[in-house]
Amino acid sequence: MAASDKSVDDSLYPIAVLIDELKNEDVQLRLNSIKKLSTIALALGEERTRSELIPFLTETIYDEDEVLLALADQLGNFTSLVGGPEYAMYLLPPLESLATVEETVVRDKAVESLRTVAAEHSALDLEIHVVPTLQRLVSGDWFTSRTSACGLFSVCYPRVTQPVKAELRANFRKLCQDETPMVRRAAANKLGEFAKVVETEYLKSDLIPNFVQLAQDDQDSVRLLAVEACVSIAQLLPQDDVEHLVLPTLRQCASDSSWRVRYMVAEKFVDLQKAVGPEITRVDLVPAFQYLLKDAEAEVRAAVATKVKDFCASLDKANQVQIILSSILPYVRDLVSDPNPHVKSALASVIMGLSPMLGAYQTVEQLLPLFLIQLKDECPEVRLNIISNLDCVNDVIGIQQLSQSLLPAIVELAEDSKWRVRLAIIEYMPALAGQLGQEFFDQKLRGLCMGWLNDHVYAIREAATLNMKKLVEQFGAPWAEQAIIPMILVMSRNKNYLHSKRKEFNKSRECLLMEFALFSGMTCLFCLNVLAEVCGTDITTKLLLPTVLLLAADPVANVRFNVAKTLQKISPFLEASVIDAQVKPTLDKLNADTDVDVKHFAAQAIAGIAAEMELNVFRTAVPPCMGLKIEAALNSRLVVEPPPMSTAAEADGDVQLELNAGTPNNSNEA
C-alpha cells in the first residue's frame, strides 16, 4: 500500500513542480516553466495532459505578457501531446482566452496557434468546436476578441458546410461594420486573405461591398489596409469585373485626402498593375501613376519613384517605349530636380534601369542628360546611387559613349568631399577598367587610382589598395610591373606629399613629416602585401622585397612592425634561399628593436615563417595520407595572437584618420 502511494506521489511530482514555478514571484522562473510545458506533458501522459494540465493552464491565464506569449507559442505545437488531431479541441479553451488579452503580440501569437490547431481538426470537429469558438470571439464584449476573430475566417471557411459558410460571411460583414476602428482595421487587414477562399459569386455579392465600405472609412488607418485587399481581390476577378467593381475604389484611394493612403497605393502599385493586366494599366493606372509622381507629399513621391523601373518593365511590350517617353519620362524629369533629397535619391536608385527598355538611341537622347544632372547633384546619396548602377547604361550604349558623356563627371566625383562617394567610385573602378580596356585606363584613370592611395581617410586608402589587386588581376602582372609597382615604390621615398596638406591639418612641419612617414610607408606596405599575391615570385623578389627591407629602417615604429608583418605575408611567394639570405637577417634585427611592438611582431613573423617552411618540407617529404596530426600542429604554429594595443585616430570634420596597425605602446619613434 505504501509503495502504491509513493508511485502516485511520484507521478504527481511534475505537475506539482509546474504549479509551484508558475506561482513563483520571479517572472523568469515562470517563463522557464512555461517553456518546459512539453516536457511536463510527456511526463504526465496524454490523458492527464488533457484532464489536468490544460484545465490548469486555462484557469491561470493572468500572468505577465512575456509568459503569456510563450504559452501561446507552446500550445500551437501541443496537438501530439494531447493525443493527436482527434483531441485537438482540448487546446481551444486556453488559446481562446489568450486571444482576448490586451497585449497585441500575445493575441497575434494566440491566433497563429489557433489557426495551426484548427487546421488539424477534422471537418466535423471544425464545425463542432472551432466555429463556435470563432462565433464567441466575434460576439465578445471587448474589441480584443473581435480583432482576433478576423484571423480565423480563412481557416474555417473552406471546410464547412454551406449554411455555416453563410453564417461566417455574415459574421465577417458584421466585423467590417464594427463601431471600433481597431476591429475594422483587423477586418480590412484580413479581407484579402478571406477573399481568396470565398466563392467568386459571394466575393462579388458579399465581400466587395465590404471592401468598398472599408475603403471609404473615416479612419485612414482602415482605408490604407483596404488598398492591400484591393490587390488580392483584383487577382481573383475577371478583367471586366475588375474594371467595374475595383477600379473606382482604386482611383479614389490614389487621390485620397490622407497621404498615408496614397503612400500605400504607391507601395502596392506594381502589384496592382500585375493584377489588373496591361489594358487596364494603359487606360487607368498610367494616369494614376502620373498623379502620384507629382503628389504634394514628398513621402509619396519617394515611394512611387522607387517603382518607376518595375512599373515601366511591366508595361505592355508593344507600347512600352511609347508610354515611357510620352507619359512617364516628363514626370521623371521633374523629379530629377525635386526639392526633396529623399525623392531624388529614390529616383537615382532606379532610373538607370530604364536604359535597357529604351535602347541606345533614346538613352543617349533622353536619359544621359538626366544622369549628368544627378551626377552633379548636391546630395551625395543621389550621386552614389547613380554611380552604383552605371553598368546598366554601359550594357546599352557601350563604353565609348559612356566615357565621353559620363567619365568627366565620374572623375570629378573621384575627388568628392564626401568620402563615401569616393569609396563608391573606387569599388566600381575594376569593372569600369575592364570595360574601358588597359590603354584607355592608363590614359584617363590610372593617376586617379594612385592618388587614392594618399587619401586622408583610411577607408579610402584601404579600398584603393584592394583596388590595385583587382586591377592587376584584370590586366596581368607584366602590366603591374611597368605601370603600377614603380609608382607605389616611389611612395616609400617621397617626402613632399603632406607639405601641401599643412594648412588643411594645421600642424607643424615636424608633425606633418611624421604623419607622412606613417601614411606613405604603411600604405606602401599594404599595397605590397596584396600585390605579392597576384604578381608571382619573380616580381616579388626583384621589386617588392627590396622596398620592404628598406622600410625596416624607418624611424616610425608602426612602419617597422608592419614590415615584420609584411615579410611574413609575402614569405610564401619567396624562395627559401631568399628568405634565409634577406628576410631572416632583417627579422632578427627587428627582433632586437627597442620598441616592444616591433619585437613582438618580429618574433611572431620569425615563428610563422619557420613553421611555414617546416610545413612545406613536411608536405614534400611525407605522403598525404600520413602525418595529419603533425601537419595540424604545424598549422597551429602559424597563428599567433597579437598583444593588446591601443588605437590612434584623429578626427577632422567627417573625416577620421584611422591607423591600421594602431599606436605603439611607447614613443620611441618620436
Side-chain angles (χ1 to χ4, degrees):
M1 184 67 179
S4 175
D5 292 342
K6 186 176 184 303
S7 64
V8 171
D9 292 341
D10 290 343
S11 66
L12 290 174
Y13 183 72
I15 191 68
V17 171
L18 173 64
I19 294 172
D20 288 342
E21 289 186 351
L22 284 176
K23 294 179 179 179
N24 196 288
E25 294 182 358
D26 187 355
V27 175
Q28 189 60 45
L29 192 60
R30 297 200 301 273
L31 181 62
N32 292 338
S33 177
I34 290 295
K35 291 181 178 179
K36 297 175 184 175
L37 277 180
S38 58
T39 304
I40 299 298
L42 286 172
L44 291 174
E46 296 172 355
E47 183 178 351
R48 292 187 63 193
T49 297
R50 296 193 300 267
S51 60
E52 298 178 30
L53 180 59
I54 299 300
F56 169 75
L57 294 174
T58 306
E59 294 169 2
T60 57
I61 296 179
Y62 56 85
D63 212 321
E64 299 286 338
D65 293 335
E66 189 178 5
V67 178
L68 296 181
L69 178 63
L71 177 59
D73 184 42
Q74 289 283 320
L75 290 176
N77 304 312
F78 241 60
T79 303
S80 61
L81 299 174
V82 296
E86 60 269 27
Y87 296 101
M89 70 285 298
Y90 283 89
L91 299 174
L92 296 178
L95 287 173
E96 181 181 351
S97 299
L98 289 168
T100 63
V101 301
E102 188 174 355
E103 177 55 45
T104 304
V105 178
V106 178
R107 291 202 312 271
D108 291 345
K109 181 57 71 173
V111 171
E112 181 184 330
S113 295
L114 273 171
R115 290 167 62 94
T116 302
V117 173
E120 294 172 335
H121 281 72
S122 65
L124 180 60
D125 288 339
L126 192 71
E127 285 198 20
I128 296 175
H129 300 287
V130 180
V131 172
T133 300
L134 172 57
Q135 292 171 337
R136 286 193 297 272
L137 291 172
V138 169
S139 59
D141 294 333
W142 293 95
F143 78 91
T144 54
S145 65
R146 302 198 295 276
T147 56
S148 296
C150 296
L152 299 178
F153 284 90
S154 60
V155 179
C156 297
Y157 189 87
R159 302 173 58 204
V160 296
T161 58
Q162 290 299 327
V164 178
K165 286 183 176 181
E167 291 181 17
L168 292 180
R169 293 195 300 272
N171 284 330
F172 193 82
R173 181 169 60 252
K174 178 182 176 182
L175 294 175
C176 291
Q177 300 169 352
D178 196 276
E179 61 181 8
T180 308
M182 286 78 77
V183 178
R184 299 199 302 274
R185 188 161 60 238
N189 190 32
K190 297 298 181 181
L191 178 60
E193 181 182 289
F194 188 35
K196 293 178 181 179
V197 298
V198 173
E199 299 85 347
T200 304
E201 58 179 309
Y202 297 119
L203 172 62
K204 293 190 283 188
S205 63
D206 290 8
L207 291 194
I208 287 184
N210 295 336
F211 161 67
V212 173
Q213 184 178 10
L214 291 170
Q216 297 173 352
D217 197 274
D218 58 352
Q219 298 285 326
D220 64 352
S221 61
V222 177
R223 298 200 302 274
L224 66 89
L225 290 172
V227 175
E228 295 190 27
C230 182
V231 178
S232 300
I233 293 174
Q235 291 171 339
L236 300 169
L237 293 174
Q239 295 295 304
D240 293 341
D241 291 334
V242 169
E243 188 171 357
H244 294 96
L245 300 176
V246 177
L247 278 182
T249 303
L250 177 59
R251 295 191 196 100
Q252 173 189 321
C253 292
S255 58
D256 195 277
S257 58
S258 170
W259 72 267
R260 297 172 63 198
V261 178
R262 302 196 304 274
Y263 178 88
M264 182 60 70
V265 174
E267 281 288 309
K268 299 294 180 182
F269 211 92
V270 176
D271 296 331
L272 288 167
Q273 176 191 17
K274 294 177 180 177
V276 302
E279 184 60 27
I280 294 178
T281 295
R282 183 180 62 82
V283 175
D284 292 282
L285 292 195
V286 169
F289 196 73
Q290 293 172 330
Y291 185 86
L292 293 172
L293 284 171
K294 61 178 183 179
D295 195 275
E297 290 293 332
E299 288 82 357
V300 178
R301 297 198 304 276
V304 76
T306 61
K307 306 298 179 183
V308 166
K309 174 187 171 183
D310 294 336
F311 178 77
C312 293
S314 299
L315 291 170
D316 182 30
K317 301 302 180 185
N319 303 311
Q320 185 183 55
V321 174
Q322 179 186 354
I323 294 175
I324 294 174
L325 293 176
S326 61
S327 302
I328 304 299
L329 210 53
Y331 295 86
V332 169
R333 289 194 187 97
D334 294 337
L335 292 185
V336 167
S337 56
D338 194 277
N340 188 285
H342 299 293
V343 176
K344 294 187 291 185
S345 178
L347 179 65
S349 66
V350 298
I351 188 173
M352 287 197 162
L354 298 179
S355 297
M357 305 174 207
L358 294 180
Y361 177 77
Q362 295 296 349
T363 295
V364 173
E365 291 293 318
Q366 305 291 340
L367 294 182
L368 274 184
L370 303 182
F371 298 159
L372 287 172
I373 294 173
Q374 291 175 306
L375 277 173
K376 298 177 182 179
D377 194 275
E378 62 182 7
C379 178
E381 285 77 14
V382 176
R383 304 193 297 267
L384 184 62
N385 287 338
I386 290 294
I387 294 163
S388 303
N389 293 283
L390 280 175
D391 54 330
C392 297
V393 182
N394 179 52
D395 293 339
V396 176
I397 67 175
I399 195 61
Q400 286 301 119
Q401 183 67 53
L402 179 66
S403 62
Q404 293 173 12
S405 304
L406 299 182
L407 194 60
I410 294 173
V411 172
E412 183 179 341
L413 287 176
E415 300 174 352
D416 194 275
S417 60
K418 301 295 183 181
W419 69 268
R420 287 181 176 85
V421 176
R422 301 199 300 276
L423 183 64
I425 291 287
I426 294 173
E427 291 173 347
Y428 181 69
M429 191 56 65
L432 187 61
Q435 296 160 1
L436 289 170
Q438 178 181 323
E439 183 179 353
F440 188 93
F441 177 82
D442 286 341
Q443 292 176 1
K444 302 291 185 181
L445 298 175
R446 187 179 65 184
L448 200 62
C449 293
M450 297 304 303
W452 283 323
L453 293 172
N454 289 321
D455 197 280
H456 51 274
V457 177
Y458 171 72
I460 300 298
R461 299 196 302 276
E462 181 184 37
T465 301
L466 297 176
N467 180 51
M468 288 296 170
K469 177 183 176 182
K470 294 176 182 177
L471 290 173
V472 174
E473 291 173 344
Q474 189 85 245
F475 295 141
W479 171 81
E481 183 177 4
Q482 295 177 2
I484 293 296
I485 294 178
M487 300 176 70
I488 293 176
L489 299 184
V490 170
M491 293 175 59
S492 65
R493 299 184 293 272
N494 185 2
K495 299 296 181 182
N496 298 319
Y497 168 73
L498 277 183
H499 284 293
S500 63
K501 297 289 184 180
R502 180 173 179 177
K503 292 183 179 179
E504 181 180 341
F505 290 95
N506 194 25
K507 295 181 179 178
S508 66
R509 179 176 180 277
E510 291 76 11
C511 289
L512 284 170
L513 288 174
M514 183 177 294
E515 209 167 59
F516 165 72
L518 185 63
F519 285 172
S520 61
M522 291 176 61
T523 303
C524 178
L525 288 172
F526 298 155
C527 288
L528 299 181
N529 278 338
V530 297
L531 290 178
E533 300 175 16
V534 291
C535 287
T537 300
D538 291 341
I539 294 177
T540 301
T541 304
K542 183 173 63 174
L543 298 177
L544 307 187
L545 180 60
T547 303
V548 178
L549 298 177
L550 180 66
L551 290 172
D554 196 279
V556 180
N558 292 61
V559 176
R560 296 199 301 278
F561 72 65
N562 272 283
V563 167
K565 294 166 69 174
T566 300
L567 288 174
Q568 182 179 357
K569 288 181 181 179
I570 69 173
S571 62
F573 310 102
L574 299 173
E575 298 289 344
S577 59
V578 175
I579 294 176
D580 290 334
Q582 300 183 51
V583 175
K584 286 185 177 179
T586 301
L587 288 175
D588 290 338
K589 182 179 178 181
L590 292 175
N591 197 28
D593 198 279
T594 56
D595 186 277
V596 63
D597 296 303
V598 177
K599 292 174 64 176
H600 166 78
F601 285 107
Q604 177 179 318
I606 291 171
I609 292 174
E612 180 69 31
M613 295 179 68
E614 187 176 347
L615 184 60
N616 290 336
V617 172
F618 171 79
R619 285 170 176 163
T620 303
V622 181
C625 58
M626 300 173 60
L628 294 179
K629 291 185 178 180
I630 303 175
E631 182 173 357
L634 293 173
N635 276 322
S636 67
R637 290 171 55 188
L638 297 176
V639 181
V640 181
E641 291 294 329
M645 297 170 61
S646 60
T647 60
E650 297 176 14
D652 181 23
D654 66 332
V655 176
Q656 185 176 8
L657 303 176
E658 303 178 36
L659 306 182
N660 187 47
T663 301
N665 294 333
N666 58 22
S667 57
N668 288 335
E669 71 275 17

